[in-house]
Amino acid sequence: MTGAVKRLLYVLFPKRCELCGEVIELDKIRCEQCEALSMIEGKICNKCGREVNNCVCSIEKFSPDYKAFCAPYYFEGSAVSAVYRLKNAGFKELVPAMSENIVKAVKLRFKDVSFDVVTCVPMTKSRKRKRGYNQSELLARETAAGLGVPFDELIYKNRRTKSQRKSSAKERRANLYGAFSLIEGKDVKNKTVLIVDDVKTTGSTLSELAFTVKDSGANAVYTAAFTVTNKHKKKR
């Protein structure tokens, strides 16, 4: 293939970063920003998934119903673009690379845990119909495959909730109380469950989901996401 043809194809069908969807050169796999992304590492808080020097759980008195949470990246830089493009722009092709990183974090942080099933954060039927897909479900399915664990939709959202974008942690917990139920016929008794999402902010949604699963007899519930907000940097 000549250089001219390559350039024409690049114009007509630009190659995109596998992680965030940014347009990149033909010989690249990821953009410079994604290549420079640093995974969350070191001593991590099990409650919020942040490095301990960025943890504010003791200040917020956060006590989740899940046993532990992990994420490979903070919700910043090109990781934000990845989440927004998957959630709002239909970039479903980003799911494999995003899930691959979730798998890495889960294997690192929960290496001694044997999961029985992986599930997702549910959407109301109307919202899923409007968007066309549930990004959490796509990530959870791919993560389950990467871990070699079965995927199953275990929970449904039984009522609409207010947008939580500008809500406090307390308001989010109140908004989500009783919003989820286990799907009829699903059995989680004595099982260890992993719930997967795209981004964790306060942890209220994942905690309420964990409560729902535990209340139905699960042995333990762990949670994971592609990103977690960085409270420490946000306050600067």
Side-chain angles (χ1 to χ4, degrees), residues 103-142:
V103 169
K104 288 179 181 177
V106 170
K107 287 183 175 180
L108 177 64
R109 299 298 167 189
F110 307 149
K111 58 184 176 182
D112 297 323
V113 181
S114 179
F115 295 105
D116 296 299
V117 62
V118 177
T119 195
C120 61
V121 177
M123 280 182 171
T124 58
K125 290 182 179 179
S126 60
R127 190 177 178 190
K128 185 176 180 179
R129 189 163 50 245
K130 183 178 181 180
R131 182 173 293 175
Y133 61 93
N134 176 355
Q135 76 281 354
S136 174
E137 179 186 343
L138 298 179
L139 290 170
R141 285 183 180 277
E142 196 79 15

Side-chain angles (χ1 to χ4, degrees), residues 31 83 90 193 217:
C31 65
V83 171
V193 181

Side-chain angles (χ1 to χ4, degrees), residues 151-155 182-189 191 216:
F151 168 85
D152 196 4
E153 288 187 74
L154 299 175
I155 313 155
L182 197 74
I183 296 173
E184 187 175 354
K186 301 295 183 180
D187 182 14
V188 294
K189 288 181 181 178
K191 291 184 178 181
S216 300

Side-chain angles (χ1 to χ4, degrees), residues 18-234:
E18 66 170 5
L19 192 62
C20 76
E22 187 63 51
V23 174
I24 57 175
E25 297 176 12
L26 289 173
D27 60 341
K28 303 291 184 182
I29 297 177
R30 293 189 179 184
C31 65
E32 291 183 3
Q33 289 75 20
C34 284
E35 287 286 2
L37 273 178
S38 297
M39 294 188 73
I40 300 172
E41 56 186 12
K43 192 173 182 180
I44 308 295
C45 171
N46 281 333
K47 290 182 180 181
C48 67
R50 303 180 183 98
E51 293 156 317
V52 291
N53 62 319
N54 291 337
C55 173
V56 293
C57 291
S58 59
I59 299 172
E60 296 183 347
K61 297 180 180 179
F62 181 49
S63 183
D65 281 286
Y66 53 78
K67 194 163 185 177
F69 167 84
C70 72
Y73 300 115
Y74 285 119
F75 186 67
E76 56 190 25
S78 59
V80 175
S81 300
V83 171
Y84 283 163
R85 283 173 174 146
L86 172 60
K87 182 180 289 187
N88 303 317
F91 278 48
K92 291 186 281 186
E93 63 269 26
L94 304 181
V95 169
M98 291 172 72
S99 299
E100 180 183 349
N101 283 276
I102 296 174
V103 169
K104 288 179 181 177
V106 170
K107 287 183 175 180
L108 177 64
R109 299 298 167 189
F110 307 149
K111 58 184 176 182
D112 297 323
V113 181
S114 179
F115 295 105
D116 296 299
V117 62
V118 177
T119 195
C120 61
V121 177
M123 280 182 171
T124 58
K125 290 182 179 179
S126 60
R127 190 177 178 190
K128 185 176 180 179
R129 189 163 50 245
K130 183 178 181 180
R131 182 173 293 175
Y133 61 93
N134 176 355
Q135 76 281 354
S136 174
E137 179 186 343
L138 298 179
L139 290 170
R141 285 183 180 277
E142 196 79 15
T143 298
L147 293 171
V149 176
F151 168 85
D152 196 4
E153 288 187 74
L154 299 175
I155 313 155
Y156 72 94
K157 196 170 186 180
N158 51 43
R159 63 176 173 83
R160 295 186 65 180
T161 52
K162 298 177 183 178
S163 173
Q164 302 198 123
R165 187 171 299 174
K166 297 182 179 180
S167 301
S168 66
K170 185 176 180 180
E171 290 170 336
R172 286 173 182 246
R173 289 193 291 270
N175 185 36
L176 290 164
Y177 181 76
F180 304 107
S181 297
L182 197 74
I183 296 173
E184 187 175 354
K186 301 295 183 180
D187 182 14
V188 294
K189 288 181 181 178
N190 301 318
K191 291 184 178 181
T192 299
V193 181
L194 176 66
I195 304 173
V196 174
D197 203 4
D198 54 350
V199 57
K200 171 186 164 297
T201 305
T202 65
S204 298
T205 299
L206 291 173
S207 185
E208 186 65 24
L209 289 167
F211 174 80
T212 301
V213 176
K214 283 173 59 181
D215 195 49
S216 300
N219 179 52
V221 181
Y222 292 78
T223 56
F226 177 64
T227 58
V228 57
T229 54
N230 192 336
K231 290 289 187 69
H232 182 69
K233 290 190 176 181
K234 189 176 180 181

